[in-house]
Amino acid sequence: MKEKLAEIKNAFTARIAEADTPVAVDNLRVEYLGKKGEITAVLRGMGALSAEERPIVGQIANEVRAYIEGMISEKLAELKEKELEASLVRDTVDVTMPGKKPVNGSFHPLNKVSEEMKELFIGMGYEIAEGPEVEYDYYNFEALNLPEGHPARDTQDTFYITDKILLRTQTSSVQIHVMENKKPPIRIISPGKVYRADNLDATHSPIFHQLEGLVVDKGVTMGDLKGTLEVYAKKMFGENTKIRLRPHHFPFTEPSAEVDVSCWGCGGVGCRICKGEGWIEVLGCGMVHPDVLRRCNIDPDEYSGFAFGIGIERTAMARYGVSDLRQFFENDVRFLEQF
Ligand code: DAH
């Protein structure tokens, strides 16, 4: 039995030297020390020994077992250490490598222009008003002096939902909502989407954006309107910008004008941006028609007001020299990144 124990010890020593994973070491532990293990088998057989031999063999068996246990924990510690070293090499972080830059989005040019306009008018004491995009004919047309059958309706091809309900063709509808709900002094802007049954081309889109402005108070004059628009034009197109009011007709303002700004690209001599005109049309405006005031229970003998409607796409096109309006809606990142 002594020889057997010596054999076991030698065999184990050779095997443990080759074990190179914690699992392999654990298998050896079971094989040698487990219930059906080699050492256990020897201990079981001790009953057959003489009384003198038994303690001697018992002692050797215990020594071999202690040897095996010692070797196993040593080996496990060694493997653990190795694994740690390997992982330190494997998982090294090179802190000198350049970092990954997150991709930053940017404002859409239409939002950018519209935010700037809002900021400007809020700075002048205006409040922001909202109105529905699905609108009654009354607010979009009738209350604005465009009764059924009025020829000026033809200039705004309209998406009708029913005879009386439509997608608003202009933010001017918000003027009526505001005046119905608020007594002067009124000073609001209302940016938003409008819809017209136009085919998409370089200058038309069935959906686009306007920013409406309305001021009603005692003693408001066309001079106030012009001064306000001058501030607006300089802010949006640069300090040297001039404006020009061309007489025009809008049914809900009297007098009415279309407003051009001198081209920022050429200062007025004509270039690609202004298509050789020197001027770029940016908005419509006028003094609120007395009938419109009256319809909203505001006495035109006591109060007067001005209104304006700015095309946001048109402003962004003029501002950035964009010649095709469709680019705003195609959302090609190469285009959007430039703003
Ligand atoms: N609503 C007009 C349009 O879409 C623009 C406009 C003109 C608005 C004159 C106004 C205004 O407030 O006074 O063509």
Side-chain angles (χ1 to χ4, degrees), residues 38-225:
E38 305 248 11
I39 297 287
T40 319
V42 173
L43 293 174
R44 283 223 183 92
M46 287 208 345
L49 295 175
S50 66
E52 299 88 66
E53 262 184 321
R54 213 175 289 150
I56 301 165
V57 173
Q59 196 193 342
I60 298 172
N62 280 337
E63 277 169 15
V64 174
R65 193 200 354 227
Y67 169 79
I68 291 176
E69 279 169 354
M71 290 291 277
I72 283 175
S73 34
E74 217 171 88
K75 187 75 183 196
L76 283 177
E78 186 189 308
L79 288 174
K80 210 168 153 190
E81 178 80 5
K82 263 197 195 149
E83 167 54 25
L84 179 66
E85 272 167 30
S87 81
L88 284 176
V89 174
R90 189 177 349 114
D91 305 336
T92 320
V93 174
D94 181 352
V95 292
T96 65
M97 291 277 279
K100 278 193 197 136
K101 199 169 167 214
V103 182
N104 278 340
S106 58
F107 275 110
H108 190 284
L110 295 180
N111 280 339
K112 213 168 153 179
V113 164
S114 143
E115 284 303 315
E116 271 180 44
M117 291 186 200
K118 281 199 258 178
E119 204 176 292
L120 170 74
F121 284 108
I122 288 169
M124 293 200 281
Y126 287 65
E127 283 168 29
I128 298 200
E130 277 185 71
E133 289 174 23
V134 179
E135 184 57 282
Y136 287 107
D137 182 283
Y138 177 77
Y139 290 92
N140 193 79
F141 288 132
E142 233 176 286
L144 292 164
N145 286 343
L146 283 140
E148 226 182 301
H150 191 290
R153 283 195 182 206
D154 292 349
T155 61
Q156 300 187 2
D157 290 325
T158 310
F159 290 111
Y160 280 96
I161 290 164
T162 68
D163 275 359
K164 292 283 164 217
I165 298 174
L166 46 87
L167 296 183
R168 68 178 181 193
T169 60
Q170 49 184 351
T171 46
S172 302
S173 55
V174 183
Q175 291 187 28
I176 306 301
H177 288 288
V178 170
M179 287 191 284
E180 278 184 349
N181 291 311
K182 196 173 169 347
K183 292 289 135 217
I186 289 169
R187 208 178 283 132
I188 61 100
I189 53 165
S190 186
K193 294 188 181 70
V194 298
Y195 303 83
R196 294 188 195 178
D198 287 332
N199 287 327
L200 190 63
D201 65 25
T203 51
H204 293 87
S205 161
I207 169 172
F208 58 101
H209 299 79
Q210 292 184 332
L211 184 137
E212 193 78 14
L214 173 71
V215 172
V216 182
D217 203 350
K218 288 182 177 154
V220 175
T221 68
M222 193 113 185
D224 299 319
L225 170 61

